[in-house]
Amino acid sequence: MQILIGVISAALIIGVLELFKFQKLYSGALILTAIAFIYVGFAGANYWALGVESVQAIAFLLISYYAITKKPLLIVWGLGLHAIWDLAHLLIDFQIELPPHYELICIVVDIILAIYFYLKLKK
């Protein structure tokens, strides 16, 4: 069921991007940055987790920036790395409160979006 939710979520995101003909590079950068900062919100008052999640969010923000300014395919790499970050949350207790099955749903979304942006941004 979680995989299906991930597929539907990714399809909705892609549908909106296509329907409104959003510019793919900027949209990918915004999406990558947003999904990284979501984990900061889940850290709550756990200062250790807040620090770790803030560092990863800033790292993905920098990846997005360099994708816009230098290498657009960094969006694809960033989404792949974010899927690995999601997997790390499945394997390691970061002591944050995530919704049930959040990590698996996000992994599916990240992978599908990485494929989508690869197809849209490759030259």
Side-chain angles (χ1 to χ4, degrees), residues 34-97:
I35 62 176
F37 274 92
I38 288 172
Y39 275 110
V40 174
F42 288 135
N46 178 336
Y47 296 121
W48 176 84
L50 186 60
V52 170
E53 299 298 352
S54 294
V55 168
Q56 70 82 28
I58 291 167
F60 284 109
L61 172 65
L62 292 173
I63 290 170
S64 294
Y65 172 79
Y66 284 108
I68 291 171
T69 60
K70 305 284 186 206
K71 299 244 182 230
L73 286 180
L74 283 174
I75 295 299
V76 176
W77 285 100
L79 288 163
L81 287 171
H82 196 268
I84 293 169
W85 186 253
D86 294 325
L87 180 61
H89 280 82
L90 276 174
L91 303 175
I92 301 167
D93 183 9
F94 282 75
Q95 300 177 1
I96 62 175
E97 295 294 324

